[in-house]
């Protein structure tokens, strides 16, 4: 599995009320080449929780091992409930914070990376209608593009390889917090997720 498909899986799990270890969205190719670098690193003390228990998108996820070494294998398992049909446009609001001298400071949005608002997260999925979903989504008949119908979706324990690929340059060593919120066209909150983790070389 290449990194763009990993990030696609990350965004799909966010749409299901979840999040994956990568603090990223599946950037379009024009964004992907901006402000990125190759780097090996380790993700430690990863945690995730919902910040709106009444939102229509809810779920649970487990990720192993801990720490996660990248490049390397990651095992993911999730189950999510979608209480409403998620369709385009779905606004995605990301807030990324890095700990600096014991204080978390917001990472600004630069070239569509960092703490950014995306008018339509669905439009950022790098697939077109009729395209096949990448594994492991296709393996378990999971959707990979909007609209996402109401229902319960699950991914059994699945191991994917995260390669040594380009990553946003702001992801330097340190402690991070990430908040992800999704909204429909009426500004109703569809999901709210908080994640925390540490990055080390």
């Amino acid at each position: 599995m290449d990194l763009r498909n990993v990030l696609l899986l990350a965004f799909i799990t966010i749409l299901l009320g979840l999040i994956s270890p990568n603090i990223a969205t599946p950037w379009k190719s024009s964004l992907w080449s901006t402000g990125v670098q190759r780097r090996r690193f380790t993700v430690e003390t990863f945690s995730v929780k919902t910040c709106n228990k009444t939102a229509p998108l809810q779920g649970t996820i487990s990720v192993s091992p801990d720490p996660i070494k990248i490049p390397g294998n990651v095992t993911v398992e999730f189950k999510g409930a979608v209480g409403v049909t998620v369709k385009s446009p779905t606004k995605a609001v990301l807030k990324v914070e890095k700990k600096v001298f014991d204080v978390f400071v917001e990472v600004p949005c630069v070239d569509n990376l960092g703490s950014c608002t995306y008018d339509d997260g669905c439009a950022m999925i790098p697939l077109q209608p009729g395209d096949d979903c990448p594994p492991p989504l296709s393996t378990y008949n999971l959707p990979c593009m909007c609209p996402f119908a109401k229902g319960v979706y699950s991914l059994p324990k699945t191991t994917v390889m995260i390669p040594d690929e380009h990553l946003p340059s702001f992801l330097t060593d340190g402690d991070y917090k990430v908040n992800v919120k999704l909204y429909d066209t009426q500004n109703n909150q569809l999901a709210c997720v908080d994640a925390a983790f540490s990055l080390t070389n």
Side-chain angles (χ1 to χ4, degrees):
M1 172 179 281
D2 64 40
L3 187 57
R4 293 188 188 185
N5 285 345
V6 171
L7 297 182
L8 173 59
L9 176 60
F11 186 69
I12 300 306
T13 53
I14 288 172
L15 282 175
L16 299 179
L18 310 168
I19 197 167
S20 87
N22 308 290
I23 59 165
T25 320
W27 318 113
K28 289 183 178 178
S29 298
S30 60
L31 302 178
W32 186 246
S33 60
T34 305
V36 294
Q37 61 182 349
R38 287 182 182 270
R39 187 160 60 90
R40 295 171 179 263
F41 64 96
T42 299
V43 179
E44 298 178 304
T45 61
F46 172 74
S47 66
V48 60
K49 62 180 180 180
T50 182
C51 40
N52 183 350
K53 293 183 179 180
T54 63
L57 278 66
Q58 299 289 334
T60 58
I61 186 168
S62 64
V63 180
S64 61
D66 186 8
I68 300 167
K69 294 186 180 297
I70 299 177
N73 290 326
V74 177
T75 299
V76 180
E77 179 181 19
F78 75 74
K79 185 174 183 179
V82 179
V84 296
T85 298
V86 179
K87 57 187 178 180
S88 181
T90 293
K91 183 170 69 173
V93 181
L94 272 67
K95 182 178 181 180
V96 182
E97 297 177 286
K98 181 181 180 182
K99 195 173 186 179
V100 180
F101 299 116
D102 296 324
V103 177
F104 278 95
V105 178
E106 185 170 336
V107 177
C109 181
V110 178
D111 294 324
N112 279 315
L113 298 172
S115 299
C116 303
T117 296
Y118 305 97
D119 292 333
D120 187 8
C122 292
M124 299 180 70
I125 297 176
L127 294 172
Q128 299 296 323
D131 288 349
D132 292 332
C133 295
L137 299 175
S138 58
T139 305
Y140 297 101
N141 296 315
L142 292 172
C144 60
M145 64 186 72
C146 297
F148 292 87
K150 293 172 60 175
V152 175
Y153 299 89
S154 62
L155 177 73
K157 283 188 177 180
T158 301
T159 299
V160 297
M161 171 64 184
I162 301 182
D164 178 17
E165 276 279 5
H166 295 294
L167 293 170
S169 57
F170 67 79
L171 288 179
T172 56
D173 288 4
D175 299 326
Y176 290 85
K177 293 195 300 185
V178 181
N179 174 264
V180 182
K181 294 185 177 75
L182 301 178
Y183 297 91
D184 65 14
T185 55
Q186 303 301 314
N187 210 38
N188 298 311
Q189 191 174 101
L190 301 176
C192 180
V193 178
D194 283 323
F197 54 90
S198 299
L199 291 182
T200 58
N201 281 317

